[in-house]
Amino acid sequence: MMQMLRNREKRFNLVITLVLLALSIFFILPLYWTAVFATRTLNEVFQFPPPLWFGDNIVQNYRNIEAVFPPFRPILNSLIVAVPKTIGLVLVSALAGYGLARYTRAPGHKMILVVTFATLFFPPSLALIPFFLQMNALGWLNTYWPLIIPALASGFGVVWMYTYIGSTVPKELYEASEMDGAKGLSTFFFVVLPIIRPGLAALSVWTLISTWNDFQIPLVVLSDGSKFTVPLALTTLSTTHYSDMPAVMLATLMGLVPVFILFGLLSRQFIAGLTAGSVK
Amino acid sequence: MASGHAGKTLHRMRRDNAFYLAIAPFLVVFLVFSVFPVIFSLYLGFNRWDGFSDPQWVGFENYARALRDPVFQKAIGNTIFMWFWSTVLTVLLALVIAVLVNDYVAFGKSYFRMVFLLPLLVAPAIAAIVLRMFFSANGGIVNLLSGAMSGTPSYFDWLGSEAWIKPLVVLLVIWRWTGWYIIIFMAALQSIPRDIYEAARMDGVGRWAIFSRITLPLLLPAIAFATITATLGGLQMFDEPYVLTQGMGGTNNSATTLGMYLFATAFTRLNFGLGSAVSWYIFAAVVILTLVYQAGLKRLRGASA
């Protein structure tokens, strides 16, 4: 009886697994097909049944993109924005998170903490128009500054570092470090930073990927096509040259590769960054 | 000597000067580029301004004018449709998948933990380009398939169709975001102690009862978190409908969201006052829905306790 029950349970679990497997295909099929189309000719793409396996037209498709725009330029642009922004955002957030986690009795502490938490619920669209006008007034339109400098202050980043430091760095460590004569921020740089490396990594990956994917702010700020970041450049390419679907798909694939490499290397930190908000 | 309280505060501030040093970079950038723009947006909402001539104070006229605009009214309806269906379907689908993977999957758990997440790496704008590969009128995969099955070539313009464009935007959101909520729910499921389940099973409680009486109530905070984030995103939706409709909002504005209306008002028609008023309407919607969720969560918790 017990054995039969267990077998039925096993069979049930197998069915569920297969159903989920089928469902998961729906989630990767678009990406797989993008890659397949990127290697095919225009004729093959329009055939029925559509190609399910890779072809050999990738070099020609690459030449077709190159003829329209330099395909590595947007990737470089995205890196120019994402790398300094990520380093700056993580440092600024870690500093503020450290301040908030350690000096809980400093005057103004509570207010800053409450306001920072509250900004998580502020829709970014609220600041979009004044942000644009501000960038215009500063003469920063069509430069990378608007994508880097204002982004350094991230409510999410500070909350994440505050929570992380509060739960991983023991209070006694601060006292010990003070006893050793640490002054000002030296405790942060020499004692705290090395301990919180996993937290820094998670926030870095999350920031890099979301910056890479950002569309609206670059759309508002950048007008010179040679400065476009990846999503903006691809959107422009796809609306102007959509008739050459394989070439557009190859460009799309090229824009995805850096993110997928990053994810492959650091998926653990990425997932830690994702779950940060929900586990409180 | 300063009176007691002020003196103490001053003393504390001096003692904790490292605190101010640590938060200064954040606070400066935050005040200049977040707080100031939001206050300025409040001011702009009461003015008529094209960015060139002097702003002109008009009181609540922008707020009233938006409400009278048929496109704005349509954008409200579209936004509600997309916010509602994308939130309900992503959160529900993610919940089902997370519970199934956690409790029933026989093999390949780590595969399932990763695979649903991959679409999240794809920028919404890029995902929209990929979706267009499927649904474009000419050579789209869906038309190819339906044409082959019916025997006559099909050239249906999915993205130009008023009826289909909104469900397609929702489909795009489901595809991209479900994995995120799956990860959140799996983390929450893993934090439920195993012995609760074992005790219930020993007492002969059935699978469904275990799920509805134990798992679901313990997942409530994670579900609330997921729903609120999905709502924050859904009410401001911009990238997906913008790219799917090539910035036009679809036939007869059938996919124009509040976010797109705001964008067009400010950056195409250079009406910064009206655009700012719209952004405050979006903010009001976010606040109201968050409060409603919190009240709902409180009631549910009261009922299950």
Side-chain angles (χ1 to χ4, degrees):
Chain A
M1 175 70 195
M2 210 54 197
Q3 190 59 44
M4 226 178 81
L5 203 71
R6 199 161 292 152
N7 274 340
R8 197 202 280 167
E9 206 169 284
K10 261 189 189 156
R11 223 176 302 145
F12 181 71
N13 287 0
L14 192 67
V15 171
I16 294 279
T17 309
L18 292 176
V19 169
L20 282 173
L21 204 62
L23 196 63
S24 74
I25 289 173
F26 168 75
F27 281 79
I28 33 175
L29 189 68
L31 295 175
Y32 174 73
W33 240 337
T34 303
V36 168
F37 277 28
T39 64
R40 291 284 181 167
T41 66
L42 195 59
N43 275 335
E44 287 169 333
V45 163
F46 284 153
Q47 257 165 24
F48 189 85
L52 292 175
W53 191 247
F54 302 95
D56 53 9
N57 203 46
I58 190 163
V59 175
Q60 184 57 46
N61 289 336
Y62 180 79
R63 287 205 190 107
N64 290 351
I65 308 170
E66 223 178 12
V68 189
F69 84 143
F72 285 104
R73 183 70 222 189
I75 295 177
L76 182 68
N77 294 344
S78 280
L79 285 174
I80 291 173
V81 170
V83 173
K85 172 184 153 179
T86 302
I87 295 171
L89 184 151
V90 170
L91 254 180
V92 169
S93 303
L95 255 172
Y98 158 75
L100 289 166
R102 178 176 174 181
Y103 302 97
T104 47
R105 279 153 66 179
H109 171 274
K110 198 171 174 207
M111 201 184 87
I112 295 168
L113 195 62
V114 168
V115 171
T116 309
F117 266 92
T119 54
L120 297 183
F121 290 91
F122 262 65
S125 59
L126 201 55
L128 186 67
I129 292 170
F131 167 82
F132 168 80
L133 297 169
Q134 202 177 14
M135 295 307 121
N136 187 24
L138 288 169
W140 282 3
L141 288 185
N142 213 18
T143 72
Y144 296 125
W145 298 118
L147 307 179
I148 300 170
I149 304 293
L152 295 181
S154 148
F156 171 76
V158 174
V159 167
W160 162 241
M161 286 317 313
Y162 163 74
T163 321
Y164 192 86
I165 293 172
S167 64
T168 49
V169 183
K171 288 256 170 205
E172 296 78 47
L173 205 61
Y174 299 138
E175 283 153 28
S177 152
E178 216 156 69
M179 298 252 255
D180 288 347
K183 285 225 166 66
L185 294 176
S186 56
T187 306
F188 171 75
F189 284 108
F190 299 113
V191 180
V192 175
L193 265 191
I195 301 178
I196 59 170
R197 244 188 259 148
L200 299 173
L203 185 60
S204 307
V205 181
W206 181 230
T207 308
L208 263 175
I209 291 180
S210 52
T211 306
W212 196 272
N213 291 344
D214 201 7
F215 178 71
Q216 192 177 33
I217 303 280
L219 177 70
V220 165
V221 162
L222 300 174
S223 48
D224 175 0
S226 69
K227 292 199 171 118
F228 281 3
T229 51
V230 168
L232 212 52
L234 286 176
T235 306
T236 317
L237 179 74
S238 84
T239 45
T240 46
H241 292 89
Y242 204 70
S243 50
D244 192 356
M245 203 200 273
V248 172
M249 289 302 134
L250 180 59
T252 306
L253 197 65
M254 288 173 65
L256 287 175
V257 165
V259 191
F260 276 86
I261 291 176
L262 198 68
F263 178 75
L265 293 174
L266 300 158
S267 56
R268 189 183 297 237
Q269 281 85 347
F270 179 66
I271 290 170
L274 279 179
T275 41
S278 62
V279 189
K280 254 186 284 189
Chain B
M1 186 73 208
S3 70
H5 188 72
K8 227 195 232 155
T9 308
L10 211 67
H11 171 74
R12 274 219 195 120
M13 285 178 77
R14 211 169 293 140
R15 194 197 59 200
D16 294 337
N17 63 356
F19 171 69
Y20 303 100
L21 225 55
I23 56 163
F26 166 69
L27 219 51
V28 169
V29 182
F30 180 67
L31 287 174
V32 175
F33 294 108
S34 295
V35 177
F36 171 72
V38 168
I39 295 169
F40 191 53
S41 153
L42 193 62
Y43 165 79
L44 272 177
F46 293 116
N47 283 273
R48 183 174 303 144
W49 198 35
D50 57 9
F52 301 106
S53 49
D54 289 335
Q56 194 189 347
W57 186 268
V58 291
F60 281 95
E61 171 54 25
N62 286 325
Y63 289 87
R65 212 176 122 198
L67 289 181
R68 284 195 304 267
D69 184 351
V71 180
F72 181 75
Q73 294 164 8
K74 206 157 184 187
I76 294 179
N78 293 341
T79 306
I80 290 177
F81 181 98
M82 294 182 202
W83 150 69
F84 181 82
W85 288 112
S86 62
T87 302
V88 168
L89 294 175
T90 44
V91 173
L92 210 63
L93 186 63
L95 186 63
V96 170
I97 295 176
V99 170
L100 290 180
V101 170
N102 199 59
D103 294 351
Y104 298 102
V105 154
F107 55 87
K109 250 187 195 180
S110 51
Y111 162 81
F112 286 115
R113 223 171 268 141
M114 281 297 172
V115 70
F116 294 106
L117 204 56
L118 295 181
L120 191 64
L121 304 178
V122 181
I126 297 179
I129 296 172
V130 173
L131 192 85
R132 277 179 41 205
M133 166 176 90
F134 280 78
F135 289 95
S136 80
N138 212 337
I141 293 170
V142 174
N143 277 349
L144 276 179
L145 286 175
S146 74
M149 277 194 276
S150 66
T152 48
S154 166
Y155 297 102
F156 184 70
D157 188 6
W158 296 89
L159 297 163
S161 146
E162 284 188 57
W164 277 101
I165 187 70
K166 281 193 278 285
L168 286 179
V169 173
V170 172
L171 182 72
L172 189 58
V173 176
I174 294 172
W175 180 71
R176 215 176 94 78
W177 284 101
T178 302
W180 190 42
Y181 301 117
I182 292 176
I183 293 293
I184 287 171
F185 292 146
M186 298 246 267
L189 282 168
Q190 238 110 71
S191 71
I192 301 175
R194 285 274 116 195
D195 34 337
I196 299 185
Y197 288 117
E198 267 148 41
R201 226 170 279 144
M202 294 284 237
D203 291 346
V205 183
R207 272 181 164 170
W208 175 250
I210 289 181
F211 175 75
S212 62
R213 302 247 185 87
I214 300 173
T215 312
L216 205 56
L218 287 172
L219 280 184
L220 268 184
I223 295 172
F225 172 80
T227 313
I228 290 174
T229 356
T231 300
L232 272 168
L235 291 175
Q236 302 184 72
M237 207 183 293
F238 176 81
D239 298 7
E240 293 91 345
Y242 185 90
V243 176
L244 274 182
T245 64
Q246 309 202 342
M248 310 304 286
T251 312
N252 286 327
N253 288 303
S254 48
T256 301
T257 58
L258 289 174
M260 282 182 76
Y261 182 86
L262 185 163
F263 182 86
T265 308
F267 303 112
T268 314
R269 290 184 275 148
L270 296 181
N271 198 335
F272 295 115
L274 185 60
S276 298
V278 172
S279 72
W280 284 97
Y281 275 128
I282 299 176
F283 176 64
V286 168
V287 170
I288 291 168
L289 278 170
T290 310
L291 291 176
V292 168
Y293 288 147
Q294 261 161 8
L297 188 65
K298 222 178 221 171
R299 275 187 92 175
L300 275 173
R301 271 201 180 138
S304 68

